[in-house]
Amino acid sequence: QVQLQESGPGLVRPSETLSLTCGVSGISITGGSYWGWIRQPPGKGLEWIATVYHSGGTYYNPSLRSRITISVDTSKSQFSLKLTSMTAADTAVYYCAKTPDTSIFLFDLWGQGTMVTVSS
Amino acid sequence: QSALTQPRSVSGSPGQSVTISCTGTSSDVGRDDYVSWYQQHPGKAPKLLIYDVSERPSGVPDRFSGSKSGNTASLTISGLQPDDEADYYCCSHAGAYTLIFDGGTKVTVL
């Protein structure tokens, strides 16, 4: 079955760059789906971060745009998120997710999430 | 992007119906029909419940239904069951293929 699995450092120092990867299995990353990142601070709601297509289309949350890089590595069947200048406000569970082939506006499968804490 | 607003919590007894509203603006909820709803149980990843305002993915019970009027979308849960106790999030297209979530509503089954 289709599975998404986030991987990342768990702990990031303030001002550093967060790098997360989402491994995709059970489906071709070069198919019709878009791939996205969403985060959730502890006890708070969801925040969409960015969405990417394997051939390069990228869409960013305007409030985070200047700090985000999102990309797809088709050879490894994974996509990645880099978030620069991390602060305590970026502490959250980070989810990767996929869209269906038919729409970029929803996520029909999510990874289990990975907790990222920003602390010195 | 401005935030979508919805009630922080709603509650109901088993078998009852509850409705969660999600209010935005003409720049998001009122823009088009790209509104989706997600259910999240504690410690779990969100699950897609409704997309395109009122469409249900395969496997989602028809007790869950969605609608929209103007700048407000709504999710109705009919025949409330104990397992429906969860957080529910509304998500809308906010222009230029960007998305916005609301703050979430906690549904409590009494």
Side-chain angles (χ1 to χ4, degrees):
Chain A
Q1 72 276 26
V2 181
Q3 289 187 318
L4 305 177
Q5 180 66 58
E6 304 89 349
S7 59
L11 178 66
V12 177
R13 307 297 183 192
S15 81
E16 291 187 343
T17 296
L18 170 67
S19 293
L20 294 175
T21 297
C22 182
V24 177
S25 59
I27 191 174
S28 173
I29 202 168
T30 59
S33 293
Y34 285 74
W35 309 94
W37 290 97
I38 304 97
R39 70 181 181 179
Q40 184 172 36
K44 296 187 178 181
L46 300 169
E47 180 180 32
W48 172 72
I49 300 172
T51 302
V52 64
Y53 194 59
H54 66 84
S55 60
T58 54
Y59 308 94
Y60 297 119
N61 185 322
S63 67
L64 298 169
R65 172 186 293 272
S66 63
R67 301 170 53 206
I68 300 171
T69 302
I70 186 171
S71 60
V72 176
D73 186 336
T74 57
S75 67
K76 296 182 179 179
S77 193
Q78 65 185 34
F79 62 104
S80 301
L81 171 72
K82 292 186 186 302
L83 184 60
T84 63
S85 305
M86 294 285 283
T87 72
D90 297 310
T91 293
V93 175
Y94 285 74
Y95 294 99
C96 63
K98 64 170 283 293
T99 75
D101 290 2
T102 52
S103 177
I104 190 178
F105 301 110
L106 62 126
F107 297 105
D108 61 355
L109 183 69
W110 298 55
Q112 66 184 22
T114 186
M115 180 68 202
V116 175
T117 301
V118 182
S119 176
S120 55
Chain B
Q1 287 185 329
S2 57
L4 306 179
T5 58
Q6 63 179 112
R8 295 293 296 273
S9 65
V10 298
S11 60
S13 300
Q16 288 186 332
S17 294
V18 295
T19 296
I20 303 167
S21 60
C22 172
T23 300
T25 69
S26 57
S27 296
D28 37 63
V29 175
R31 162 185 293 271
D32 50 38
D33 286 342
Y34 297 126
V35 176
S36 53
W37 291 89
Y38 299 84
Q39 177 192 59
Q40 186 180 37
H41 286 106
K44 301 295 187 181
K47 171 191 171 185
L48 179 66
L49 275 185
I50 296 287
Y51 67 96
D52 294 357
V53 172
S54 60
E55 299 297 316
R56 274 188 312 276
S58 173
V60 173
D62 59 7
R63 301 186 297 104
F64 296 91
S65 62
S67 62
K68 193 186 85 166
S69 178
N71 297 334
T72 298
S74 299
L75 172 71
T76 298
I77 309 173
S78 304
L80 204 59
Q81 297 183 0
D83 190 52
D84 298 335
E85 186 161 296
D87 294 323
Y88 292 82
Y89 293 92
C90 165
C91 178
S92 174
H93 175 216
Y97 302 100
T98 65
L99 299 174
I100 185 169
F101 285 91
D102 66 359
T105 294
K106 180 175 179 59
V107 170
T108 301
V109 181
L110 302 172

